[in-house]
Structure formats: structure tokens, C-alpha cells
């Protein structure tokens, strides 16, 4: 609040006043999302009105808004926003840029949250994973996260076949091996990947 009050008396077009409003919303995003959301929405509207050329600042505010909406369990709105952010970055930065790939991760998470697994599988196979492997490499953290998301979606898709389950197993095995080598066996991401692989093994055993 102190940051916001410092610049409250300035013009709505003042950059520091706008940044202060964004900081206020961002600070409350996790603890008080219902209060943070109006501040962030106002910040986004002013940013688009007066500083429409600052694409990454706009994206940062949108990311905070998506976090608020997720905290409020408004997942349909999160999906709309993450689609917009991914499309914007793909158009301005290209599909192989690291920021675009990270936006793609967020979009896939939103899709899986709403059980849109077939769509997320298609996006991962056709666009995100090839772009990440090409530009970041197979061992990069974002690439491994995308591969893990593919394995999860293959299992959670209600129309999955045994072939899909075997593909998920192979995918998770590869992620585990790479995470162990790159990050070490005790890293939280490695342990998480091992847990997903164990879950797939259990599903296959019971199939």
C-alpha cells in the first residue's frame, strides 16, 4: 500500500503510479487474490491505454491476473488468458523463443486443469516439444517439464489406449533419466518425475 500511496496523486498516465498499482496487486496475489484482482485489472487497462508498446510488462500483469484467477478457481478465465498470452508471444517472439515456450507450459497446465487433455497432447506433440527441443535442447528444464506434461495428459485423457499408456511410461522414463543426470537424484523435480513414473507403472500393472 505504501508504494501505491506514494504515487497516488500523480496522473493516471504516470509510469511510476502504474507500476505502484501493479506492485500492490502482485503483493496481494496469493494471500488476498479477491482484492488483488481489481488492482491488477486496473493496472492492465491503464498499461494497454498508455504503454501498449511495453509488451513484456503487459505480459507480467497478465501473469499475475492469471495467478489470481487460479487462486479463485476461475479456471475457464485462466485458460482464456493463457491462450491469449501464448498466442501473443508466438506472434511477437516466435514459437521457439524461451518465453513463448514458458507461456506454452502455462497454457498446457490450464488445459489439463479443465480436462482438455486431447488438445494439450496435440499442442505438445505438434508445436511445443519440437520447438523446445530445437531451441533449448532435450535436457533443458522447460523441455523436460513439457515432456512430463505430455506423459500426464496421455494418462489422464479418458480416451487413452494401452499404447498411450506405454508412450507415457517411455516419456516419464526419459524425463527421470535426464533429470537425474542434469539435476541430481535428490532434486525436487527429479523426485516428482520419479513419482509420476511410479504412478504410470501402477496404472499399467492394473490395466
Amino acid at each position: 500500500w505504501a508504494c501505491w500511496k506514494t504515487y497516488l496523486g500523480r496522473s493516471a498516465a504516470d509510469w511510476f503510479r502504474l507500476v505502484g498499482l501493479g506492485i500492490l496487486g502482485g503483493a496481494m496475489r496469493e494471500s488476498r487474490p479477491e482484492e488483488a484482482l481489481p488492482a491488477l485489472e486496473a493496472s492492465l487497462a491503464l498499461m494497454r491505454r498508455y504503454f501498449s508498446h511495453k509488451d513484456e510488462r503487459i505480459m507480467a500483469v497478465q501473469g499475475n491476473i492469471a495467478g489470481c484467477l487460479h487462486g479463485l478457481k476461475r479456471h475457464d478465465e485462466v485458460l482464456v488468458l493463457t491462450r491469449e498470452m501464448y498466442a501473443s508471444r508466438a506472434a511477437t517472439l516466435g514459437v521457439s523463443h524461451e518465453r513463448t515456450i514458458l507461456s506454452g507450459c502455462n497454457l498446457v497446465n490450464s488445459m489439463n486443469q479443465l480436462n482438455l487433455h486431447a488438445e494439450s497432447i496435440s499442442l505438445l506433440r505438434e508445436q511445443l516439444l519440437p520447438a523446445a527441443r530445437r531451441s533449448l535442447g532435450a535436457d533443458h528444464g522447460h523441455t523436460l517439464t513439457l515432456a512430463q506434461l505430455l506423459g500426464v495428459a496421455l494418462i489422464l485423457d479418458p480416451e487413452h489406449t494401452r499404447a498411450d499408456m506405454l508412450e507415457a511410461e517411455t516419456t516419464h522414463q526419459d524425463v527421470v533419466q535426464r533429470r537425474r543426470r542434469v539435476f541430481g537424484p535428490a532434486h525436487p523435480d527429479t523426485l516428482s518425475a520419479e513419482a509420476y513414473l511410479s504412478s504410470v507403472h501402477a496404472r499399467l500393472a492394473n490395466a
Side-chain angles (χ1 to χ4, degrees), residues 15-119:
W15 173 249
F16 293 103
R17 182 182 191 273
L18 185 53
V19 169
L21 182 59
I23 290 174
L24 172 64
M28 296 190 297
R29 192 189 78 180
E30 293 188 7
S31 59
R32 291 182 286 175
E34 68 286 346
E35 296 178 43
L37 186 58
L40 290 168
E41 288 176 335
S43 176
L44 179 61
L46 291 169
M47 186 78 71
R48 283 174 166 165
R49 181 175 180 182
Y50 296 111
F51 301 97
S52 58
H53 59 288
K54 291 186 176 290
D55 293 334
E56 284 305 313
R57 293 295 304 190
I58 289 173
M59 290 284 186
V61 178
Q62 287 180 309
N64 278 329
I65 290 174
C68 284
L69 293 170
H70 179 77
L72 296 169
K73 302 188 185 305
R74 291 162 59 174
H75 300 303
D76 288 337
E77 294 171 72
V78 175
L79 178 61
V80 171
L81 193 53
T82 53
R83 281 192 197 278
E84 179 184 338
M85 294 171 69
Y86 176 70
S88 178
R89 281 206 164 121
T92 57
L93 301 176
V95 296
S96 296
H97 195 283
E98 184 174 354
R99 290 175 182 169
T100 306
I101 291 167
L102 184 56
S103 291
C105 285
N106 294 333
L107 175 55
V108 168
N109 274 318
S110 296
M111 289 176 174
N112 286 340
Q113 185 77 46
L114 291 170
N115 298 318
L116 300 175
H117 304 301
E119 186 177 358

Side-chain angles (χ1 to χ4, degrees), residues 99-198:
R99 290 175 182 169
T100 306
I101 291 167
L102 184 56
S103 291
C105 285
N106 294 333
L107 175 55
V108 168
N109 274 318
S110 296
M111 289 176 174
N112 286 340
Q113 185 77 46
L114 291 170
N115 298 318
L116 300 175
H117 304 301
E119 186 177 358
S120 71
I121 290 168
S122 177
L123 180 61
L124 285 160
R125 281 176 170 164
E126 297 172 14
Q127 194 159 314
L128 289 173
L129 269 169
R133 287 169 177 151
R134 182 173 60 249
S135 63
L136 303 178
D139 289 339
H140 193 280
H142 294 342
T143 308
L144 295 175
T145 296
L146 288 169
Q148 190 162 296
L149 287 170
L150 174 60
V152 170
L154 285 166
I155 289 295
L156 294 180
D157 184 359
E159 302 298 322
H160 72 252
T161 63
R162 182 168 180 80
D164 291 327
M165 295 177 71
L166 291 172
E167 181 183 350
E169 181 184 39
T170 301
T171 300
H172 283 301
Q173 284 174 338
D174 182 66
V175 171
V176 167
Q177 290 170 1
R178 292 179 185 278
R179 288 202 185 279
R180 283 174 179 167
R181 185 178 69 252
V182 176
F183 301 107
H187 192 280
D189 289 345
T190 304
L191 298 176
S192 173
E194 290 173 343
Y196 278 114
L197 179 58
S198 296

